[in-house]
Amino acid sequence: AFALMLALVALWGLDVSVSIAPVWMLVLMVFAGGVTWWLLFTWAVAKLRGRVKEGTLLRLSRIAGVVVVALGIVLIVKGIMSL
């Protein structure tokens, strides 16, 4: 969503450093990014639905869990170190 918002800002030539862009435009860009992400994600899931085995999904789920826990630990350590 954020990447699409930045792309639209660049495409429409909104220079937020000179003047404040209308809030409704930024809200629209965030909404468009979220909708685009959701549509692409659901399309990919629909295409891969029958091709991915249960074991592969279990491995991907575990990898995602490890990544989330690792990022959480990093953020906690950074927070403690900045005190």
Side-chain angles (χ1 to χ4, degrees):
F2 186 69
L4 181 62
M5 183 181 73
L6 290 177
L8 290 175
V9 166
L11 178 69
W12 289 342
L14 298 177
D15 189 3
V16 292
S17 65
V18 175
S19 65
I20 297 176
V23 174
W24 66 269
M25 259 187 166
L26 295 177
V27 169
L28 179 67
M29 288 179 210
V30 171
F31 175 76
V35 169
T36 302
W37 162 250
W38 182 251
L39 290 174
L40 289 173
F41 181 74
T42 55
W43 174 81
V45 168
K47 291 293 181 188
L48 297 174
R49 186 173 183 194
R51 298 179 189 164
V52 179
K53 296 179 183 177
E54 190 173 331
T56 305
L57 288 176
L58 183 60
R59 251 181 287 142
L60 288 173
S61 179
R62 288 181 178 163
I63 290 170
V66 168
V67 168
V68 168
V69 169
L71 289 173
I73 290 171
V74 167
L75 290 175
I76 289 170
V77 169
K78 278 185 144 183
I80 291 173
M81 298 297 254
S82 67
L83 291 177

